[in-house]
Structures are given as structure tokens and as C-alpha cells.
């Protein structure tokens, strides 16, 4: 999809849903898992005492507000090419959060394709700059760059790679890039599961290109080291998009009690160091082999 059509798509969602999470996703539980995963990586990999996080394609700011609440020393800059999304984010900062949180937040309109510098242009549409961010906006360098389902909106794998390469220019020398995007390969696996359960594949939306390992991840390894990659929504998506619809006449129910309980359990288990999130079933098969000497 070309840039204008994609922008119109997000502008209309921003206008229709404003401060509501539905501006950026139909699924409230996935947002909880995404925030939990970002918070975990910031806790583990960011050592700066007052880290600055730049989210590119921040929508109406849900990730930012959650991180600002969770990390009292964190400062957050959100940019998006949709002025309606940024208007909603500014309204949330000013109306729904304390002055202390608003002081650690900044929002402005910016296209990811032009991100390297400045973070955003204060002449281009709505913006909010909290007191605690003013100096950072002069220095134009941050501890964390993050994206959440933004790169998938670009028009080709080449453009995804190009934008990733540009956006990391904003990072401090020991900064990290948290890239939470839809993966083409695991999406295919999910569709294979649907097929096994007698359902049609779920197509990728016309305005998205999911991340391809060979075209995007592998070449980007020349630019940055991959420290880890976590399949943030594996069990969640297996139940939401395949197992549950297989007994619901194909219907996907985003807000069921089942999904809420599953998500609560995943988050609590993620926080328990001794539990592995894939160690669920009661039945395990151990295969033993005799030592050669016995
Ligand atoms: C699925 S929403 C996710 C929003 C936010 N990251 C979150 O997780 O809550 C994708 C966002 O990316 C933004 N976006 C898409 N293409 C962009 C671009 N080229 N530059 C900046 N923002 C973009 C859209 O306007 C939209 O707000």
C-alpha cells in the first residue's frame, strides 16, 4: 500500500477512536503482553539512570503511558505520522495523567522515513513536550528506540530495512533497539494450525507487510547484534486465532474471559523466573539411552 493510503487508514482510525486503544488494535490482551515484554527488556538491558525511550509510530501513546507509570525515572518520546493519533496522545497526557507523568512525555508528528533528526518538527501538527524532555530534544539522542507494529506498514522489505537503519542513528552508543513487529514465518505457522483445525488461513491485512527473516532480519545483523528474540504472543495467538475459533464457528472473540485469564496467567508466569512459558502440559516424554559402558 502506498504512503498516502496507509496514512489515511491510520488518520481515520485515529479520528474514529481518539484516546481509545482501538485506534491501534482490536485486541486489548495483546497490548498487555506487548507492554509486559517491553518492560522486561528495559529492566534487563537498559542501565542508564534516567533512560530516554523513543517510540516511532507510537499511535495514541498506550505503550508510552504504561512505561512511564511503571518506570518512574523513564522519559518517553512518541512520534507518529498520523496527526490524529498524536492529537489523541497529547490529550491523554494533558487530561488523563498527572503533571509528573506529562512532564516525562513528549509527542509530535513525524514520518518514520524521515526520522534520523529531528525527532519531530514542532511546526508540523500537534505536539506536547514535557519539561523533563526539553534538553533531550536538543541533543537528539536516546537510550532506546522502539517500534510496535509500525514497520509492517511500510511499502516493502527494502523500505523496512532502510527505515530501521535510519532510526538507529538516534541511539546513544550503548543504546538498544526494541523492535516488536509481526513475523511472517510465525504467522504462516499459525495459518498451518488453522488449516489442521479446518479453517481458512488469515490473510495479512492489505496495508501490512510482515517481517521477512531473509530480507530484513538477516541483513540488519550487519548493523546491530541480535541479543535475543522473544515470540511475545505465541500461546495467546494460538488460542485466539486458531483453537478458540475452531470451536466458535470461526469467530475470533478478542475480549473473552478466556483470553483475559490466559493473558493474566502468561504475564504472571513470565514474572516467575523458575517457570518456563513453554512448560505447560502434564505429559512429557523422556527418551533415555544406555551409557555405552553398561
Ligand atoms: C498498529 S499501530 C501501533 C501503535 C503503537 N505502536 C502501539 O503499539 O500502540 C501502528 C502505528 O504506526 C503508525 N505509522 C505507520 N506508518 C508510519 C510511518 N511511516 N511513520 C510514522 N508512523 C507510522 C500509524 O499511524 C499507527 O499509529
Amino acid at each position: 500500500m502506498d504512503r498516502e493510503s496507509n496514512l489515511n487508514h491510520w488518520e481515520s482510525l485515529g479520528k474514529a477512536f481518539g484516546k481509545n486503544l482501538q485506534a491501534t488494535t482490536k485486541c486489548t490482551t495483546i497490548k498487555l503482553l506487548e507492554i509486559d515484554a517491553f518492560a522486561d527488556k528495559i529492566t534487563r538491558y537498559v542501565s542508564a539512570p534516567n533512560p530516554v525511550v523513543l517510540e516511532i509510530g507510537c499511535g495514541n501513546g498506550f505503550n508510552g503511558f504504561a512505561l512511564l507509570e511503571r518506570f518512574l525515572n523513564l522519559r518517553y518520546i512518541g512520534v507518529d505520522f498520523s496527526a490524529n493519533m498524536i492529537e489523541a496522545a497529547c490529550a491523554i497526557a494533558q487530561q488523563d495523567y498527572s503533571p509528573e507523568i506529562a512532564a516525562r512525555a513528549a509527542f509530535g508528528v513525524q514520518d518514520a522515513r524521515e526520522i534520523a533528526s529531528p525527532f519531530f518538527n514542532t511546526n508540523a501538527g500537534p505536539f506536547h513536550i514535557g519539561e523533563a524532555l526539553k534538553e533531550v530534544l536538543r541533543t537528539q539522542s536516546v537510550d532506546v528506540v522502539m517500534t510496535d507494529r509500525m514497520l509492517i506498514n511500510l511499502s516493502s522489505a527494502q523500505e523496512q530495512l532502510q527505515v530501521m537503519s535510519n532510526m538507529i542513528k538516534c541511539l546513544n552508543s550503548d543504546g538498544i533497539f526494541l523492535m516488536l513487529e509481526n513475523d511472517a514465518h510465525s504467522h504462516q505457522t499459525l495459518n498451518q494450525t488453522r488449516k489442521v483445525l479446518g479453517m481458512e488461513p488469515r490473510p495479512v491485512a492489505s496495508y501490512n507487510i510482515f517481517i521477512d527473516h531473509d530480507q530484513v532480519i538477516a541483513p540488519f545483523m550487519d548493523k546491530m547484534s541480535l541479543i535475543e528474540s522473544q515470540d511475545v504472543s505465541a500461546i495467546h495467538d494460538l488460542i485466539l486465532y486458531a483453537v478458540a475459533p475452531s470451536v466458535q464457528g470461526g469467530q475470533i472473540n478478542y475480549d473473552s474471559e478466556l483470553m483475559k485469564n490466559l493473558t493474566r496467567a502468561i504475564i504472571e508466569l513470565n514474572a516467575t523466573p523458575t517457570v518456563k512459558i513453554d512448560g505447560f502440559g502434564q505429559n512429557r516424554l523422556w527418551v533415555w539411552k544406555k551409557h555405552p559402558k553398561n
Side-chain angles (χ1 to χ4, degrees):
M1 185 182 264
D2 63 88
R3 180 194 182 276
E4 277 326 296
S5 316
N6 192 268
L7 177 59
N8 288 340
H9 167 79
W10 290 111
E11 282 287 61
S12 59
L13 284 175
K15 188 167 184 183
F17 293 104
K19 299 198 289 184
N20 195 302
L21 176 65
Q22 278 177 294
T24 61
T25 179
K26 290 183 200 142
C27 186
T28 48
T29 49
I30 195 61
K31 179 48 68 197
L32 296 175
L33 293 181
E34 289 173 348
I35 289 166
D36 194 55
F38 281 127
D40 173 58
K41 306 306 172 233
I42 289 171
T43 304
R44 289 203 283 133
Y45 299 122
V46 179
S47 53
N50 300 298
V52 180
V53 176
L54 169 63
E55 179 173 6
I56 299 168
C58 64
N60 53 5
F62 266 74
N63 292 327
F65 294 114
L67 294 175
L68 288 164
E69 277 189 310
R70 206 172 286 204
F71 298 97
L72 302 182
N73 55 349
L74 183 143
R75 291 166 292 166
Y76 171 89
I77 301 166
V79 301
D80 200 287
F81 73 165
S82 158
N84 288 338
M85 292 286 182
I86 292 299
E87 194 175 324
C90 295
I92 296 176
Q94 283 147 15
Q95 296 163 11
D96 303 344
Y97 282 90
S98 66
E100 189 281 320
I101 288 207
R104 291 186 285 122
F107 293 99
V109 177
Q110 176 65 282
D111 191 320
R113 298 168 179 91
E114 294 141 22
I115 198 67
S117 183
F119 295 150
F120 57 83
N121 176 358
T122 48
N123 298 319
F127 64 92
H128 161 91
I129 305 178
E131 262 321 299
L133 267 305
K134 290 197 169 146
E135 182 54 31
V136 176
L137 287 166
R138 268 192 290 278
T139 60
Q140 299 284 326
S141 133
V142 300
D143 303 289
V144 179
V145 165
M146 60 184 257
T147 65
D148 187 352
R149 288 174 286 112
M150 186 285 285
L151 295 167
I152 56 171
N153 290 284
L154 298 173
S155 55
S156 65
Q158 289 69 26
E159 190 169 51
Q160 291 169 338
L161 193 56
Q162 180 63 50
V163 167
M164 288 157 68
S165 306
N166 280 345
M167 58 176 58
I168 59 170
K169 292 182 188 152
C170 306
L171 278 175
N172 293 334
S173 52
D174 58 351
I176 60 165
F177 172 31
L178 301 177
M179 167 183 164
L180 203 169
E181 298 288 334
N182 295 112
D183 177 74
H185 180 74
S186 53
H187 176 252
Q188 255 174 25
T189 313
L190 195 58
N191 274 338
Q192 280 167 350
T193 319
R194 285 177 59 92
K195 192 171 170 197
V196 169
L197 297 175
M199 286 174 290
E200 292 295 314
R202 293 187 77 235
V204 174
S206 60
Y207 53 90
N208 285 159
I209 298 177
F210 285 5
I211 302 294
D212 181 273
H213 181 274
D214 294 345
Q215 294 188 68
V216 178
I217 302 297
F220 197 62
M221 286 178 187
D222 289 343
K223 310 238 174 225
M224 292 194 91
S225 311
L226 185 64
I227 308 176
E228 68 159 291
S229 82
Q230 178 194 348
D231 193 352
V232 170
S233 63
I235 297 166
H236 176 276
D237 287 358
L238 183 66
I239 307 294
L240 179 67
Y241 294 119
V243 180
S246 75
V247 294
Q248 290 166 182
Q251 286 300 308
I252 294 169
N253 185 353
Y254 286 103
D255 279 319
S256 67
E257 292 305 311
L258 175 82
M259 289 313 300
K260 286 180 191 161
N261 282 355
L262 174 65
T263 303
R264 191 157 53 86
I266 294 171
I267 289 175
E268 290 209 10
L269 290 172
N270 273 337
T272 312
T274 48
V275 175
K276 266 186 82 193
I277 202 71
D278 60 357
F280 281 108
Q282 304 184 64
N283 300 4
R284 184 179 296 267
L285 169 65
W286 284 266
V287 178
W288 302 93
K289 202 173 172 210
K290 257 183 162 180
H291 288 305
K293 60 179 177 332
N294 292 339

